[in-house]
PDB file of all heavy atoms in Angstrom:
ATOM      1  N   PRO A   1     -40.954  58.196 -23.181  1.00  0.00           N
ATOM      2  CA  PRO A   1     -41.303  59.555 -23.540  1.00  0.00           C
ATOM      3  C   PRO A   1     -40.052  60.266 -24.090  1.00  0.00           C
ATOM      4  O   PRO A   1     -38.941  60.054 -23.567  1.00  0.00           O
ATOM      5  CB  PRO A   1     -41.762  60.188 -22.211  1.00  0.00           C
ATOM      6  CG  PRO A   1     -42.138  59.032 -21.372  1.00  0.00           C
ATOM      7  CD  PRO A   1     -41.250  57.904 -21.764  1.00  0.00           C
ATOM      8  N   SER A   2     -40.243  61.039 -25.135  1.00  0.00           N
ATOM      9  CA  SER A   2     -39.081  61.669 -25.813  1.00  0.00           C
ATOM     10  C   SER A   2     -39.191  63.178 -25.706  1.00  0.00           C
ATOM     11  O   SER A   2     -40.243  63.745 -25.760  1.00  0.00           O
ATOM     12  CB  SER A   2     -39.060  61.236 -27.271  1.00  0.00           C
ATOM     13  OG  SER A   2     -38.196  62.084 -28.000  1.00  0.00           O
ATOM     14  N   PRO A   3     -37.950  63.839 -25.577  1.00  0.00           N
ATOM     15  CA  PRO A   3     -37.981  65.310 -25.635  1.00  0.00           C
ATOM     16  C   PRO A   3     -38.555  65.837 -26.940  1.00  0.00           C
ATOM     17  O   PRO A   3     -38.907  66.987 -27.044  1.00  0.00           O
ATOM     18  CB  PRO A   3     -36.506  65.635 -25.523  1.00  0.00           C
ATOM     19  CG  PRO A   3     -35.873  64.499 -24.794  1.00  0.00           C
ATOM     20  CD  PRO A   3     -36.649  63.291 -25.276  1.00  0.00           C
ATOM     21  N   GLU A   4     -38.656  64.979 -27.940  1.00  0.00           N
ATOM     22  CA  GLU A   4     -39.245  65.414 -29.211  1.00  0.00           C
ATOM     23  C   GLU A   4     -40.691  65.777 -29.071  1.00  0.00           C
ATOM     24  O   GLU A   4     -41.258  66.461 -29.940  1.00  0.00           O
ATOM     25  CB  GLU A   4     -39.046  64.313 -30.237  1.00  0.00           C
ATOM     26  CG  GLU A   4     -39.352  64.748 -31.673  1.00  0.00           C
ATOM     27  CD  GLU A   4     -39.057  63.703 -32.712  1.00  0.00           C
ATOM     28  OE1 GLU A   4     -38.690  62.568 -32.302  1.00  0.00           O
ATOM     29  OE2 GLU A   4     -39.136  63.962 -33.861  1.00  0.00           O
ATOM     30  N   GLU A   5     -41.310  65.320 -27.977  1.00  0.00           N
ATOM     31  CA  GLU A   5     -42.697  65.597 -27.801  1.00  0.00           C
ATOM     32  C   GLU A   5     -42.947  67.011 -27.297  1.00  0.00           C
ATOM     33  O   GLU A   5     -44.096  67.443 -27.200  1.00  0.00           O
ATOM     34  CB  GLU A   5     -43.313  64.581 -26.778  1.00  0.00           C
ATOM     35  CG  GLU A   5     -43.243  63.104 -27.322  1.00  0.00           C
ATOM     36  CD  GLU A   5     -43.630  62.162 -26.178  1.00  0.00           C
ATOM     37  OE1 GLU A   5     -43.924  62.631 -25.089  1.00  0.00           O
ATOM     38  OE2 GLU A   5     -43.648  60.958 -26.481  1.00  0.00           O
ATOM     39  N   SER A   6     -41.921  67.736 -26.928  1.00  0.00           N
ATOM     40  CA  SER A   6     -42.067  69.088 -26.408  1.00  0.00           C
ATOM     41  C   SER A   6     -41.404  70.066 -27.375  1.00  0.00           C
ATOM     42  O   SER A   6     -40.787  69.680 -28.371  1.00  0.00           O
ATOM     43  CB  SER A   6     -41.475  69.196 -25.012  1.00  0.00           C
ATOM     44  OG  SER A   6     -40.057  69.314 -25.105  1.00  0.00           O
ATOM     45  N   GLN A   7     -41.494  71.322 -27.038  1.00  0.00           N
ATOM     46  CA  GLN A   7     -40.938  72.403 -27.865  1.00  0.00           C
ATOM     47  C   GLN A   7     -39.516  72.713 -27.409  1.00  0.00           C
ATOM     48  O   GLN A   7     -38.855  73.581 -28.063  1.00  0.00           O
ATOM     49  CB  GLN A   7     -41.838  73.601 -27.709  1.00  0.00           C
ATOM     50  CG  GLN A   7     -41.954  74.590 -28.842  1.00  0.00           C
ATOM     51  CD  GLN A   7     -41.957  74.052 -30.253  1.00  0.00           C
ATOM     52  OE1 GLN A   7     -42.630  73.062 -30.530  1.00  0.00           O
ATOM     53  NE2 GLN A   7     -41.271  74.715 -31.110  1.00  0.00           N
ATOM     54  N   THR A   8     -39.001  72.061 -26.376  1.00  0.00           N
ATOM     55  CA  THR A   8     -37.700  72.466 -25.790  1.00  0.00           C
ATOM     56  C   THR A   8     -36.580  72.394 -26.816  1.00  0.00           C
ATOM     57  O   THR A   8     -35.826  73.373 -27.025  1.00  0.00           O
ATOM     58  CB  THR A   8     -37.373  71.591 -24.631  1.00  0.00           C
ATOM     59  OG1 THR A   8     -38.416  71.732 -23.624  1.00  0.00           O
ATOM     60  CG2 THR A   8     -36.067  72.025 -23.958  1.00  0.00           C
ATOM     61  N   ALA A   9     -36.429  71.230 -27.449  1.00  0.00           N
ATOM     62  CA  ALA A   9     -35.312  71.040 -28.378  1.00  0.00           C
ATOM     63  C   ALA A   9     -35.428  72.009 -29.613  1.00  0.00           C
ATOM     64  O   ALA A   9     -34.457  72.523 -30.109  1.00  0.00           O
ATOM     65  CB  ALA A   9     -35.199  69.586 -28.850  1.00  0.00           C
ATOM     66  N   ALA A  10     -36.723  72.183 -30.089  1.00  0.00           N
ATOM     67  CA  ALA A  10     -36.925  73.023 -31.198  1.00  0.00           C
ATOM     68  C   ALA A  10     -36.546  74.496 -30.854  1.00  0.00           C
ATOM     69  O   ALA A  10     -35.923  75.202 -31.612  1.00  0.00           O
ATOM     70  CB  ALA A  10     -38.380  72.969 -31.670  1.00  0.00           C
ATOM     71  N   ASP A  11     -36.979  74.921 -29.679  1.00  0.00           N
ATOM     72  CA  ASP A  11     -36.628  76.278 -29.211  1.00  0.00           C
ATOM     73  C   ASP A  11     -35.107  76.418 -29.062  1.00  0.00           C
ATOM     74  O   ASP A  11     -34.534  77.509 -29.423  1.00  0.00           O
ATOM     75  CB  ASP A  11     -37.249  76.557 -27.879  1.00  0.00           C
ATOM     76  CG  ASP A  11     -38.770  76.708 -27.982  1.00  0.00           C
ATOM     77  OD1 ASP A  11     -39.251  76.915 -29.094  1.00  0.00           O
ATOM     78  OD2 ASP A  11     -39.435  76.590 -26.925  1.00  0.00           O
ATOM     79  N   HIS A  12     -34.442  75.356 -28.641  1.00  0.00           N
ATOM     80  CA  HIS A  12     -33.014  75.386 -28.481  1.00  0.00           C
ATOM     81  C   HIS A  12     -32.323  75.560 -29.865  1.00  0.00           C
ATOM     82  O   HIS A  12     -31.387  76.314 -30.005  1.00  0.00           O
ATOM     83  CB  HIS A  12     -32.542  74.083 -27.796  1.00  0.00           C
ATOM     84  CG  HIS A  12     -31.070  73.923 -27.719  1.00  0.00           C
ATOM     85  ND1 HIS A  12     -30.286  73.174 -28.496  1.00  0.00           N
ATOM     86  CD2 HIS A  12     -30.213  74.539 -26.797  1.00  0.00           C
ATOM     87  CE1 HIS A  12     -29.034  73.280 -28.156  1.00  0.00           C
ATOM     88  NE2 HIS A  12     -28.936  74.097 -27.133  1.00  0.00           N
ATOM     89  N   GLY A  13     -32.831  74.825 -30.872  1.00  0.00           N
ATOM     90  CA  GLY A  13     -32.230  74.901 -32.201  1.00  0.00           C
ATOM     91  C   GLY A  13     -32.398  76.322 -32.783  1.00  0.00           C
ATOM     92  O   GLY A  13     -31.451  76.852 -33.368  1.00  0.00           O
ATOM     93  N   GLU A  14     -33.605  76.899 -32.591  1.00  0.00           N
ATOM     94  CA  GLU A  14     -33.805  78.237 -33.090  1.00  0.00           C
ATOM     95  C   GLU A  14     -32.953  79.276 -32.367  1.00  0.00           C
ATOM     96  O   GLU A  14     -32.357  80.154 -32.981  1.00  0.00           O
ATOM     97  CB  GLU A  14     -35.291  78.617 -32.922  1.00  0.00           C
ATOM     98  CG  GLU A  14     -35.594  80.016 -33.438  1.00  0.00           C
ATOM     99  CD  GLU A  14     -37.078  80.423 -33.271  1.00  0.00           C
ATOM    100  OE1 GLU A  14     -37.825  79.597 -32.690  1.00  0.00           O
ATOM    101  OE2 GLU A  14     -37.424  81.503 -33.687  1.00  0.00           O
ATOM    102  N   GLN A  15     -32.851  79.141 -31.054  1.00  0.00           N
ATOM    103  CA  GLN A  15     -31.989  80.071 -30.281  1.00  0.00           C
ATOM    104  C   GLN A  15     -30.539  79.997 -30.726  1.00  0.00           C
ATOM    105  O   GLN A  15     -29.880  81.022 -30.841  1.00  0.00           O
ATOM    106  CB  GLN A  15     -32.124  79.738 -28.792  1.00  0.00           C
ATOM    107  CG  GLN A  15     -31.396  80.792 -27.905  1.00  0.00           C
ATOM    108  CD  GLN A  15     -30.662  80.146 -26.744  1.00  0.00           C
ATOM    109  OE1 GLN A  15     -30.165  79.038 -26.835  1.00  0.00           O
ATOM    110  NE2 GLN A  15     -30.640  80.858 -25.607  1.00  0.00           N
ATOM    111  N   ARG A  16     -30.042  78.746 -30.925  1.00  0.00           N
ATOM    112  CA  ARG A  16     -28.670  78.638 -31.333  1.00  0.00           C
ATOM    113  C   ARG A  16     -28.370  79.293 -32.678  1.00  0.00           C
ATOM    114  O   ARG A  16     -27.279  79.809 -32.964  1.00  0.00           O
ATOM    115  CB  ARG A  16     -28.265  77.151 -31.354  1.00  0.00           C
ATOM    116  CG  ARG A  16     -27.939  76.440 -30.022  1.00  0.00           C
ATOM    117  CD  ARG A  16     -27.823  77.309 -28.847  1.00  0.00           C
ATOM    118  NE  ARG A  16     -27.208  76.662 -27.735  1.00  0.00           N
ATOM    119  CZ  ARG A  16     -27.264  77.137 -26.471  1.00  0.00           C
ATOM    120  NH1 ARG A  16     -27.916  78.262 -26.246  1.00  0.00           N
ATOM    121  NH2 ARG A  16     -26.668  76.472 -25.494  1.00  0.00           N
ATOM    122  N   LEU A  17     -29.325  79.233 -33.575  1.00  0.00           N
ATOM    123  CA  LEU A  17     -29.187  79.908 -34.858  1.00  0.00           C
ATOM    124  C   LEU A  17     -29.077  81.426 -34.629  1.00  0.00           C
ATOM    125  O   LEU A  17     -28.182  82.093 -35.215  1.00  0.00           O
ATOM    126  CB  LEU A  17     -30.401  79.608 -35.745  1.00  0.00           C
ATOM    127  CG  LEU A  17     -30.511  80.420 -37.035  1.00  0.00           C
ATOM    128  CD1 LEU A  17     -29.328  80.041 -37.980  1.00  0.00           C
ATOM    129  CD2 LEU A  17     -31.849  80.219 -37.735  1.00  0.00           C
ATOM    130  N   ARG A  18     -29.899  81.993 -33.769  1.00  0.00           N
ATOM    131  CA  ARG A  18     -29.877  83.442 -33.496  1.00  0.00           C
ATOM    132  C   ARG A  18     -28.572  83.857 -32.802  1.00  0.00           C
ATOM    133  O   ARG A  18     -28.110  84.978 -32.996  1.00  0.00           O
ATOM    134  CB  ARG A  18     -31.077  83.811 -32.646  1.00  0.00           C
ATOM    135  CG  ARG A  18     -32.435  83.425 -33.164  1.00  0.00           C
ATOM    136  CD  ARG A  18     -32.710  83.946 -34.506  1.00  0.00           C
ATOM    137  NE  ARG A  18     -33.990  83.465 -35.050  1.00  0.00           N
ATOM    138  CZ  ARG A  18     -34.292  83.473 -36.346  1.00  0.00           C
ATOM    139  NH1 ARG A  18     -33.406  83.915 -37.235  1.00  0.00           N
ATOM    140  NH2 ARG A  18     -35.484  83.022 -36.710  1.00  0.00           N
ATOM    141  N   LEU A  19     -27.954  82.903 -32.040  1.00  0.00           N
ATOM    142  CA  LEU A  19     -26.753  83.252 -31.303  1.00  0.00           C
ATOM    143  C   LEU A  19     -25.507  83.036 -32.156  1.00  0.00           C
ATOM    144  O   LEU A  19     -24.410  83.331 -31.678  1.00  0.00           O
ATOM    145  CB  LEU A  19     -26.636  82.380 -30.036  1.00  0.00           C
ATOM    146  CG  LEU A  19     -27.722  82.694 -28.943  1.00  0.00           C
ATOM    147  CD1 LEU A  19     -27.563  81.775 -27.757  1.00  0.00           C
ATOM    148  CD2 LEU A  19     -27.583  84.129 -28.469  1.00  0.00           C
ATOM    149  N   GLY A  20     -25.664  82.525 -33.324  1.00  0.00           N
ATOM    150  CA  GLY A  20     -24.490  82.357 -34.238  1.00  0.00           C
ATOM    151  C   GLY A  20     -23.828  81.012 -34.195  1.00  0.00           C
ATOM    152  O   GLY A  20     -22.709  80.847 -34.697  1.00  0.00           O
ATOM    153  N   PHE A  21     -24.466  79.985 -33.566  1.00  0.00           N
ATOM    154  CA  PHE A  21     -23.874  78.651 -33.606  1.00  0.00           C
ATOM    155  C   PHE A  21     -23.949  78.112 -35.024  1.00  0.00           C
ATOM    156  O   PHE A  21     -24.861  78.358 -35.770  1.00  0.00           O
ATOM    157  CB  PHE A  21     -24.722  77.718 -32.695  1.00  0.00           C
ATOM    158  CG  PHE A  21     -24.375  77.802 -31.239  1.00  0.00           C
ATOM    159  CD1 PHE A  21     -24.495  78.990 -30.537  1.00  0.00           C
ATOM    160  CD2 PHE A  21     -23.939  76.673 -30.540  1.00  0.00           C
ATOM    161  CE1 PHE A  21     -24.228  79.061 -29.170  1.00  0.00           C
ATOM    162  CE2 PHE A  21     -23.639  76.747 -29.173  1.00  0.00           C
ATOM    163  CZ  PHE A  21     -23.786  77.954 -28.500  1.00  0.00           C
ATOM    164  N   SER A  22     -22.969  77.271 -35.353  1.00  0.00           N
ATOM    165  CA  SER A  22     -23.049  76.487 -36.625  1.00  0.00           C
ATOM    166  C   SER A  22     -23.923  75.274 -36.339  1.00  0.00           C
ATOM    167  O   SER A  22     -24.172  74.859 -35.205  1.00  0.00           O
ATOM    168  CB  SER A  22     -21.651  76.063 -37.053  1.00  0.00           C
ATOM    169  OG  SER A  22     -21.089  75.088 -36.155  1.00  0.00           O
ATOM    170  N   LEU A  23     -24.344  74.674 -37.409  1.00  0.00           N
ATOM    171  CA  LEU A  23     -25.178  73.435 -37.318  1.00  0.00           C
ATOM    172  C   LEU A  23     -24.381  72.343 -36.686  1.00  0.00           C
ATOM    173  O   LEU A  23     -24.869  71.567 -35.838  1.00  0.00           O
ATOM    174  CB  LEU A  23     -25.705  72.988 -38.683  1.00  0.00           C
ATOM    175  CG  LEU A  23     -26.853  72.010 -38.698  1.00  0.00           C
ATOM    176  CD1 LEU A  23     -28.057  72.543 -37.923  1.00  0.00           C
ATOM    177  CD2 LEU A  23     -27.268  71.698 -40.157  1.00  0.00           C
ATOM    178  N   GLU A  24     -23.084  72.222 -37.027  1.00  0.00           N
ATOM    179  CA  GLU A  24     -22.239  71.223 -36.430  1.00  0.00           C
ATOM    180  C   GLU A  24     -22.095  71.426 -34.906  1.00  0.00           C
ATOM    181  O   GLU A  24     -22.120  70.458 -34.130  1.00  0.00           O
ATOM    182  CB  GLU A  24     -20.843  71.314 -37.070  1.00  0.00           C
ATOM    183  CG  GLU A  24     -19.844  70.304 -36.476  1.00  0.00           C
ATOM    184  CD  GLU A  24     -18.399  70.563 -36.947  1.00  0.00           C
ATOM    185  OE1 GLU A  24     -18.191  71.559 -37.683  1.00  0.00           O
ATOM    186  OE2 GLU A  24     -17.532  69.783 -36.615  1.00  0.00           O
ATOM    187  N   ALA A  25     -22.020  72.709 -34.506  1.00  0.00           N
ATOM    188  CA  ALA A  25     -21.913  73.015 -33.104  1.00  0.00           C
ATOM    189  C   ALA A  25     -23.135  72.598 -32.301  1.00  0.00           C
ATOM    190  O   ALA A  25     -23.055  72.115 -31.187  1.00  0.00           O
ATOM    191  CB  ALA A  25     -21.633  74.474 -32.880  1.00  0.00           C
ATOM    192  N   VAL A  26     -24.314  72.769 -32.922  1.00  0.00           N
ATOM    193  CA  VAL A  26     -25.563  72.323 -32.280  1.00  0.00           C
ATOM    194  C   VAL A  26     -25.545  70.852 -32.000  1.00  0.00           C
ATOM    195  O   VAL A  26     -25.924  70.392 -30.946  1.00  0.00           O
ATOM    196  CB  VAL A  26     -26.784  72.740 -33.167  1.00  0.00           C
ATOM    197  CG1 VAL A  26     -28.070  72.158 -32.529  1.00  0.00           C
ATOM    198  CG2 VAL A  26     -26.868  74.249 -33.254  1.00  0.00           C
ATOM    199  N   VAL A  27     -25.140  70.082 -32.989  1.00  0.00           N
ATOM    200  CA  VAL A  27     -25.098  68.624 -32.884  1.00  0.00           C
ATOM    201  C   VAL A  27     -24.082  68.246 -31.786  1.00  0.00           C
ATOM    202  O   VAL A  27     -24.334  67.419 -30.924  1.00  0.00           O
ATOM    203  CB  VAL A  27     -24.715  67.937 -34.201  1.00  0.00           C
ATOM    204  CG1 VAL A  27     -24.566  66.431 -34.027  1.00  0.00           C
ATOM    205  CG2 VAL A  27     -25.828  68.222 -35.247  1.00  0.00           C
ATOM    206  N   ARG A  28     -22.900  68.827 -31.884  1.00  0.00           N
ATOM    207  CA  ARG A  28     -21.847  68.479 -30.906  1.00  0.00           C
ATOM    208  C   ARG A  28     -22.213  68.925 -29.514  1.00  0.00           C
ATOM    209  O   ARG A  28     -21.758  68.313 -28.510  1.00  0.00           O
ATOM    210  CB  ARG A  28     -20.525  69.114 -31.364  1.00  0.00           C
ATOM    211  CG  ARG A  28     -19.961  68.474 -32.641  1.00  0.00           C
ATOM    212  CD  ARG A  28     -18.738  69.228 -33.096  1.00  0.00           C
ATOM    213  NE  ARG A  28     -17.653  69.154 -32.160  1.00  0.00           N
ATOM    214  CZ  ARG A  28     -16.575  69.893 -32.214  1.00  0.00           C
ATOM    215  NH1 ARG A  28     -16.428  70.805 -33.200  1.00  0.00           N
ATOM    216  NH2 ARG A  28     -15.625  69.777 -31.288  1.00  0.00           N
ATOM    217  N   GLU A  29     -23.016  69.950 -29.378  1.00  0.00           N
ATOM    218  CA  GLU A  29     -23.449  70.407 -28.063  1.00  0.00           C
ATOM    219  C   GLU A  29     -24.274  69.328 -27.340  1.00  0.00           C
ATOM    220  O   GLU A  29     -24.129  69.093 -26.139  1.00  0.00           O
ATOM    221  CB  GLU A  29     -24.272  71.687 -28.163  1.00  0.00           C
ATOM    222  CG  GLU A  29     -24.562  72.340 -26.841  1.00  0.00           C
ATOM    223  CD  GLU A  29     -25.319  73.656 -26.957  1.00  0.00           C
ATOM    224  OE1 GLU A  29     -25.806  73.910 -28.105  1.00  0.00           O
ATOM    225  OE2 GLU A  29     -25.410  74.369 -25.972  1.00  0.00           O
ATOM    226  N   TYR A  30     -25.113  68.597 -28.113  1.00  0.00           N
ATOM    227  CA  TYR A  30     -25.875  67.503 -27.497  1.00  0.00           C
ATOM    228  C   TYR A  30     -24.957  66.356 -27.102  1.00  0.00           C
ATOM    229  O   TYR A  30     -25.226  65.712 -26.108  1.00  0.00           O
ATOM    230  CB  TYR A  30     -26.982  67.059 -28.470  1.00  0.00           C
ATOM    231  CG  TYR A  30     -28.216  67.898 -28.418  1.00  0.00           C
ATOM    232  CD1 TYR A  30     -28.303  69.051 -29.197  1.00  0.00           C
ATOM    233  CD2 TYR A  30     -29.282  67.613 -27.593  1.00  0.00           C
ATOM    234  CE1 TYR A  30     -29.450  69.872 -29.135  1.00  0.00           C
ATOM    235  CE2 TYR A  30     -30.403  68.418 -27.501  1.00  0.00           C
ATOM    236  CZ  TYR A  30     -30.478  69.541 -28.314  1.00  0.00           C
ATOM    237  OH  TYR A  30     -31.608  70.352 -28.224  1.00  0.00           O
ATOM    238  N   GLY A  31     -23.921  66.169 -27.893  1.00  0.00           N
ATOM    239  CA  GLY A  31     -22.927  65.164 -27.534  1.00  0.00           C
ATOM    240  C   GLY A  31     -22.220  65.505 -26.234  1.00  0.00           C
ATOM    241  O   GLY A  31     -22.002  64.663 -25.343  1.00  0.00           O
ATOM    242  N   ALA A  32     -21.910  66.794 -26.090  1.00  0.00           N
ATOM    243  CA  ALA A  32     -21.282  67.256 -24.826  1.00  0.00           C
ATOM    244  C   ALA A  32     -22.235  67.118 -23.664  1.00  0.00           C
ATOM    245  O   ALA A  32     -21.803  66.751 -22.535  1.00  0.00           O
ATOM    246  CB  ALA A  32     -20.857  68.748 -25.001  1.00  0.00           C
ATOM    247  N   LEU A  33     -23.513  67.361 -23.896  1.00  0.00           N
ATOM    248  CA  LEU A  33     -24.500  67.176 -22.817  1.00  0.00           C
ATOM    249  C   LEU A  33     -24.562  65.722 -22.357  1.00  0.00           C
ATOM    250  O   LEU A  33     -24.624  65.462 -21.173  1.00  0.00           O
ATOM    251  CB  LEU A  33     -25.873  67.657 -23.325  1.00  0.00           C
ATOM    252  CG  LEU A  33     -27.045  67.475 -22.359  1.00  0.00           C
ATOM    253  CD1 LEU A  33     -26.810  68.246 -21.082  1.00  0.00           C
ATOM    254  CD2 LEU A  33     -28.333  67.902 -23.014  1.00  0.00           C
ATOM    255  N   GLN A  34     -24.547  64.803 -23.317  1.00  0.00           N
ATOM    256  CA  GLN A  34     -24.572  63.382 -22.949  1.00  0.00           C
ATOM    257  C   GLN A  34     -23.346  63.020 -22.134  1.00  0.00           C
ATOM    258  O   GLN A  34     -23.431  62.335 -21.125  1.00  0.00           O
ATOM    259  CB  GLN A  34     -24.666  62.540 -24.210  1.00  0.00           C
ATOM    260  CG  GLN A  34     -24.642  61.034 -23.910  1.00  0.00           C
ATOM    261  CD  GLN A  34     -24.814  60.213 -25.184  1.00  0.00           C
ATOM    262  OE1 GLN A  34     -25.922  60.115 -25.690  1.00  0.00           O
ATOM    263  NE2 GLN A  34     -23.727  59.609 -25.677  1.00  0.00           N
ATOM    264  N   GLU A  35     -22.171  63.497 -22.572  1.00  0.00           N
ATOM    265  CA  GLU A  35     -20.931  63.204 -21.842  1.00  0.00           C
ATOM    266  C   GLU A  35     -21.048  63.798 -20.428  1.00  0.00           C
ATOM    267  O   GLU A  35     -20.573  63.148 -19.448  1.00  0.00           O
ATOM    268  CB  GLU A  35     -19.747  63.813 -22.551  1.00  0.00           C
ATOM    269  CG  GLU A  35     -19.430  63.120 -23.892  1.00  0.00           C
ATOM    270  CD  GLU A  35     -18.240  63.793 -24.554  1.00  0.00           C
ATOM    271  OE1 GLU A  35     -17.426  64.455 -23.864  1.00  0.00           O
ATOM    272  OE2 GLU A  35     -18.142  63.659 -25.787  1.00  0.00           O
ATOM    273  N   ALA A  36     -21.606  64.992 -20.270  1.00  0.00           N
ATOM    274  CA  ALA A  36     -21.705  65.625 -18.972  1.00  0.00           C
ATOM    275  C   ALA A  36     -22.662  64.826 -18.061  1.00  0.00           C
ATOM    276  O   ALA A  36     -22.389  64.670 -16.856  1.00  0.00           O
ATOM    277  CB  ALA A  36     -22.199  67.048 -19.127  1.00  0.00           C
ATOM    278  N   ILE A  37     -23.740  64.291 -18.606  1.00  0.00           N
ATOM    279  CA  ILE A  37     -24.664  63.495 -17.820  1.00  0.00           C
ATOM    280  C   ILE A  37     -23.949  62.256 -17.304  1.00  0.00           C
ATOM    281  O   ILE A  37     -24.039  61.871 -16.087  1.00  0.00           O
ATOM    282  CB  ILE A  37     -25.910  63.085 -18.659  1.00  0.00           C
ATOM    283  CG1 ILE A  37     -26.745  64.326 -18.980  1.00  0.00           C
ATOM    284  CG2 ILE A  37     -26.737  62.035 -17.918  1.00  0.00           C
ATOM    285  CD1 ILE A  37     -27.865  64.044 -19.925  1.00  0.00           C
ATOM    286  N   LEU A  38     -23.274  61.544 -18.179  1.00  0.00           N
ATOM    287  CA  LEU A  38     -22.568  60.350 -17.777  1.00  0.00           C
ATOM    288  C   LEU A  38     -21.425  60.613 -16.814  1.00  0.00           C
ATOM    289  O   LEU A  38     -21.195  59.871 -15.843  1.00  0.00           O
ATOM    290  CB  LEU A  38     -22.044  59.588 -18.990  1.00  0.00           C
ATOM    291  CG  LEU A  38     -23.156  59.132 -20.002  1.00  0.00           C
ATOM    292  CD1 LEU A  38     -22.489  58.419 -21.191  1.00  0.00           C
ATOM    293  CD2 LEU A  38     -24.170  58.271 -19.347  1.00  0.00           C
ATOM    294  N   ALA A  39     -20.647  61.715 -17.061  1.00  0.00           N
ATOM    295  CA  ALA A  39     -19.575  62.056 -16.172  1.00  0.00           C
ATOM    296  C   ALA A  39     -20.095  62.400 -14.760  1.00  0.00           C
ATOM    297  O   ALA A  39     -19.478  61.991 -13.771  1.00  0.00           O
ATOM    298  CB  ALA A  39     -18.815  63.261 -16.735  1.00  0.00           C
ATOM    299  N   THR A  40     -21.228  63.109 -14.671  1.00  0.00           N
ATOM    300  CA  THR A  40     -21.793  63.403 -13.378  1.00  0.00           C
ATOM    301  C   THR A  40     -22.231  62.138 -12.686  1.00  0.00           C
ATOM    302  O   THR A  40     -22.074  62.018 -11.442  1.00  0.00           O
ATOM    303  CB  THR A  40     -23.024  64.333 -13.599  1.00  0.00           C
ATOM    304  OG1 THR A  40     -22.624  65.521 -14.254  1.00  0.00           O
ATOM    305  CG2 THR A  40     -23.653  64.687 -12.242  1.00  0.00           C
TER     306      THR A  40
END
């Protein structure tokens, strides 16, 4: 099952646009999330 099946990631992308994130920052944020999961 993939997060792509829900609206969560899409909502996240739209919210980051409204908050002033760059597209590069959105991508790198998911990389930071993966690192955080593995570090934990």
Side-chain angles (χ1 to χ4, degrees):
S2 165
E4 191 174 6
E5 297 171 359
S6 78
Q7 209 38 43
T8 301
D11 291 342
H12 178 257
E14 180 180 2
Q15 185 219 36
R16 280 350 194 196
L17 172 66
R18 306 304 176 199
L19 293 176
F21 278 60
S22 67
L23 196 57
E24 178 189 5
V26 174
V27 175
R28 291 174 62 192
E29 189 178 12
Y30 278 87
L33 176 60
Q34 178 176 284
E35 291 179 24
I37 292 173
L38 299 180
T40 301

